[in-house]
């Protein structure tokens, strides 16, 4: 329950129950309430209509629309928020009857995103998605101006309202083009930054999953484990909250836990059922970290009865993002909230792991599994690092398994197993005769050997 109620905007929520089961419908209505909460809206009243399919004209039918108008007046609501996505005409007609703006679910999600977007990139992405949503919905916005001249199809004969719509449409299309260009620029910067990180050679892991599953909490738990210095770890922490879409911007942190290979972890925006397509499209570049990851942690709230549906939504979204073929670990979080926690046993080597970001349960098993994935993707190298390239040696000390290390006359002879990206980086900085053996197949020198 929120305490700062005076800052909340009163709304009525409307559900249209068609073909889905009662259970699915109730769940979707509950989720709509949580979305309203995340948008600082207070649900004053709920109206439900059951129909075999949505009414073409008013979505819920004209009788129910009149009832909705009474609810709206009764609680002085500022908006009616509808479960589902309304066609522009349905929205316009319903709006006319109830006399306050109608928001559909997409509109509500866009509104949350626009309030929560902090970085320049996220702001531009949300603006772009918002304008694309608005474009087909302009009709009706200028209706109050009416048709001031009648008949004919020529532009000169159009009413002020229609002219204004055309003008708006052109301006909006123009702004969308501008936004696309700006986003493409940011995209290029992001590529350069990613290449910079790749040069360090650490494996990349991405947290993905339904909103509120505990992705940010897991990241914070791992940061705590990596940095016992509480103040330092607090500085790096990401925002976590019991609220839908708490995270919008991508954060990347290095996780370096003693005795384990360090890796980079990214935390990004959560997914939701029926996520507006334009929004996913707009967030494609933010979600790029997911496409380039070496491993994905699919995080679920295992205490939520709908967590399997959440897994499916996540997997479908990953398919939309072309993030297939990346090793996955299914992380069933919030195990502490399940009565059976004591009976949940994690099988070593399994890709299904129960954890609790809150209590720390199962985190070691998760880290073991991640290290297995890194190892499977690692390369053996047998190299001679010149004394002038000390940075390469410290890179190996940081992120590789050193099998042997011997100081020779012209450099340090190292045999090690390291992440593929690190082997690539080192390989690119050495001369051929300094690479005795690289699993990438690069061989040279007299003492070349097969490991
Ligand atoms: N009991 C319990 N609560 C948890 C656990 N992990 C996270 N939570 C709570 O779940 C809520 C959501 O956590 P977040 O980490 O913000 O979730 P998220 O997946 O990052 O959510 P979005 O950023 O909205 O996508 C917070 O109130 C956390 O305190 C857990 O293991 N056990
Ligand atoms: Mg988060």
């Amino acid at each position: 329950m929120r305490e700062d109620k005076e800052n909340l905007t009163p709304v009525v929520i409307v559900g249209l129950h068609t073909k889905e089961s009662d259970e699915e419908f109730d769940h979707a209505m509950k989720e709509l309430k949580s979305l309203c909460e995340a948008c600082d809206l207070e649900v004053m009243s709920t109206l439900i209509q059951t129909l075999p399919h949505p009414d073409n004209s008013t979505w819920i039918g004209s009788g129910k629309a009149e009832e909705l108008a009474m609810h709206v007046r009764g609680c002085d609501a500022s908006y009616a928020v509808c479960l589902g996505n309304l066609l522009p005409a349905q929205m316009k007609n319903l709006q006319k009857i109830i006399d306050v703006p109608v928001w559909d679910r997409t509109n509500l999600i866009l509104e949350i995103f626009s309030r929560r977007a902090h970085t320049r990139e996220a702001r531009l992405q949300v603006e772009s998605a918002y304008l694309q949503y608005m474009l087909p919905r302009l009709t009706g916005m200028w209706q109050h101006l009416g048709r001031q001249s009648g008949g004919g199809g020529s532009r000169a004969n159009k009413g002020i309202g229609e002219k204004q719509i055309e003008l708006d449409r052109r301006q909006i299309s123009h702004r969308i083009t501008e936004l696309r260009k700006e986003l493409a620029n940011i995209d290029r910067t992001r590529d350069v930054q990613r290449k910079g990180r790749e040069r360090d050679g650490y494996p990349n892991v991405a947290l993905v999953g339904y909103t509120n599953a505990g992705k940010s909490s897991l990241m914070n738990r791992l940061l705590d484990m990596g940095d016992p210095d509480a103040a330092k770890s607090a500085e790096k922490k990401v925002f976590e909250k019991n609220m839908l879409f708490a995270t919008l911007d991508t954060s990347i942190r290095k996780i370096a836990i003693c005795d384990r290979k360090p890796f980079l972890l990214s935390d990004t925006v959560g997914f939701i059922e029926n996520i507006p397509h334009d929004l996913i499209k707009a967030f494609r570049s933010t979600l790029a970290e997911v496409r380039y990851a070496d491993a994905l942690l699919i995080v679920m709230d295992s205490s939520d009865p709908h967590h399997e549906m959440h897994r499916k939504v996540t997997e479908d979204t990953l398919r939309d993002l072309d993030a297939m073929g990346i090793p996955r670990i299914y992380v069933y979080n919030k195990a502490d909230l399940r009565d059976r926690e004591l009976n949940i046993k994690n099988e070593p080597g399994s890709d299904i792991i129960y954890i609790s970001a809150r209590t720390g349960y199962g985190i070691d098993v998760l880290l073991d599994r991640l290290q297995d994935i890194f190892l499977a993707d690692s390369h053996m190298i047998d190299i001679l690092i010149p004394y002038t390239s000390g940075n390469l040696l410290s890179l190996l000390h940081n992120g590789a398994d050193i099998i042997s290390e011997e100081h020779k006359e012209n450099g340090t002879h190292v045999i090690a197993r390291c992440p593929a990206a690190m082997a690539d980086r080192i390989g690119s900085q050495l001369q051929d005769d300094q690479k005795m053996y690289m699993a990438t197949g690069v061989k040279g020198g007299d003492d070349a050997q097969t490991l």
Side-chain angles (χ1 to χ4, degrees):
M1 261 283 137
R2 311 265 312 220
E3 282 130 31
D4 51 344
K5 282 199 165 198
E6 64 272 19
N7 295 324
L8 305 182
T9 307
V11 297
V12 176
I13 58 172
V14 192
L16 177 60
H17 192 170
T18 52
K19 293 186 190 71
E20 61 285 88
S21 70
D22 289 354
E23 214 264 324
E24 282 166 349
F25 179 75
D26 290 346
H27 172 247
M29 283 302 282
K30 235 173 101 192
E31 192 171 78
L32 188 71
K33 264 191 190 166
S34 303
L35 285 168
C36 285
E37 240 172 68
C39 198
D40 292 333
L41 305 177
E42 187 183 5
V43 177
M44 309 296 291
S45 164
T46 302
L47 192 77
I48 288 168
Q49 167 71 310
T50 308
L51 289 174
H53 48 78
D55 180 74
N56 281 340
S57 164
T58 57
W59 190 59
I60 45 175
S62 53
K64 206 67 176 181
E66 294 296 346
E67 199 182 319
L68 175 60
M70 276 179 0
H71 275 253
V72 166
R73 277 196 296 275
C75 56
D76 208 11
S78 303
Y79 308 103
V81 181
C82 301
L83 176 67
N85 291 324
L86 276 68
L87 297 170
Q90 290 169 328
M91 196 175 265
K92 188 178 86 180
N93 294 334
L94 191 56
Q95 215 148 266
K96 226 194 281 175
I97 297 172
I98 67 172
D99 217 20
V100 293
V102 171
W103 283 8
D104 62 5
R105 189 169 171 277
T106 299
N107 196 158
L108 178 61
I109 293 175
L110 285 168
E111 192 65 36
I112 297 172
F113 272 52
S114 65
R115 287 167 191 223
R116 214 58 59 66
H118 294 304
T119 60
R120 183 171 153 67
E121 182 179 23
R123 280 177 196 277
L124 295 175
Q125 286 167 330
V126 174
E127 189 185 347
S128 161
Y130 209 98
L131 290 178
Q132 285 176 56
Y133 169 82
M134 282 304 294
L135 211 49
R137 290 175 172 76
L138 289 175
T139 324
M141 273 182 55
W142 298 99
Q143 241 173 5
H144 56 285
L145 294 174
R147 272 184 82 90
Q148 308 230 329
S149 51
S154 81
R155 211 174 119 50
N157 282 337
K158 287 192 173 166
I160 293 177
E162 281 171 73
K163 277 187 194 157
Q164 188 60 48
I165 291 165
E166 263 181 38
L167 206 66
D168 285 356
R169 219 170 248 155
R170 250 183 294 142
Q171 274 173 351
I172 289 181
S173 301
H174 181 68
R175 178 74 186 136
I176 290 176
T177 315
E178 269 180 5
L179 285 169
R180 284 209 181 112
K181 277 190 207 148
E182 278 191 66
L183 282 166
N185 276 338
I186 296 181
D187 230 15
R188 276 192 284 279
T189 317
R190 189 177 271 284
D191 272 353
V192 172
Q193 285 168 344
R194 186 178 315 107
K195 294 219 168 77
R197 284 197 304 272
E198 273 169 11
R199 270 202 295 279
D200 291 340
Y202 296 118
N204 289 294
V205 179
L207 291 160
V208 287
Y210 214 73
T211 174
N212 217 39
K215 301 177 291 299
S216 303
S217 308
L218 176 54
M219 180 170 224
N220 288 338
R221 157 71 55 177
L222 293 170
L223 282 168
D224 269 345
M225 288 170 73
D227 206 335
D229 179 346
K232 260 200 195 152
S233 120
E235 229 174 75
K236 294 182 200 151
K237 280 198 171 165
V238 292
F239 180 58
E240 57 173 81
K241 191 171 175 185
N242 187 17
M243 170 174 74
L244 302 189
F245 298 118
T247 305
L248 266 203
D249 309 308
T250 303
S251 309
I252 300 171
R253 302 281 186 273
K254 182 172 158 192
I255 306 290
I257 298 171
C258 70
D259 296 337
R260 296 188 183 272
K261 295 282 152 295
F263 60 92
L264 298 179
L265 184 66
S266 72
D267 176 29
T268 188
V269 58
F271 304 148
I272 197 165
E273 198 184 11
N274 298 323
I275 192 155
H277 193 71
D278 283 339
L279 208 54
I280 278 287
K281 237 170 56 195
F283 271 73
R284 246 186 108 81
S285 61
T286 302
L287 289 163
E289 302 309 330
V290 175
R291 279 204 302 283
Y292 292 100
D294 300 298
L296 297 179
L297 301 183
I298 299 189
V299 184
M300 283 158 285
D301 174 354
S302 68
S303 71
D304 187 317
H306 298 94
H307 65 259
E308 283 306 316
M309 181 274 273
H310 295 175
R311 180 179 57 77
K312 193 176 170 307
V313 169
T314 304
E315 291 187 318
D316 290 348
T317 315
L318 288 174
R319 199 167 308 120
D320 283 352
L321 289 169
D322 302 322
M324 305 299 287
I326 303 170
R328 297 171 176 195
I329 303 179
Y330 293 90
V331 181
Y332 287 79
N333 189 32
K334 308 197 190 179
D336 57 296
L337 294 179
R338 295 173 58 122
D339 325 331
R340 293 188 296 119
E341 187 196 348
L342 293 178
N343 297 325
I344 297 171
K345 283 272 174 294
N346 284 316
E347 298 286 331
S350 164
D351 286 330
I352 294 175
I353 301 175
Y354 284 87
I355 66 145
S356 166
R358 182 159 292 174
T359 66
Y361 174 83
I363 305 274
D364 274 328
V365 185
L366 172 63
L367 289 169
D368 286 345
R369 184 69 198 112
L370 264 181
Q371 304 285 318
D372 288 348
I373 292 177
F374 300 156
L375 196 67
D377 191 35
S378 68
H379 285 189
M380 286 298 284
I381 53 171
D382 179 349
I383 49 172
L384 185 73
I385 302 178
Y387 289 121
T388 47
S389 303
N391 60 325
L392 294 185
L393 194 61
S394 49
L395 193 68
L396 283 172
H397 281 161
N398 238 324
D401 275 326
I402 310 274
I403 295 163
S404 76
E405 181 175 343
E406 208 181 326
H407 296 293
K408 296 270 177 82
E409 193 186 324
N410 45 355
T412 313
H413 176 206
V414 182
I415 300 179
R417 183 182 272 285
C418 67
M422 197 176 280
D424 284 350
R425 178 186 168 187
I426 290 173
S428 70
Q429 298 202 12
L430 293 179
Q431 310 288 334
D432 271 356
D433 61 353
Q434 291 162 337
K435 296 184 260 191
M436 270 71 86
Y437 177 86
M438 310 265 309
T440 41
V442 185
K443 288 185 191 178
D446 288 333
D447 48 350
Q449 50 181 299
T450 306
L451 297 170

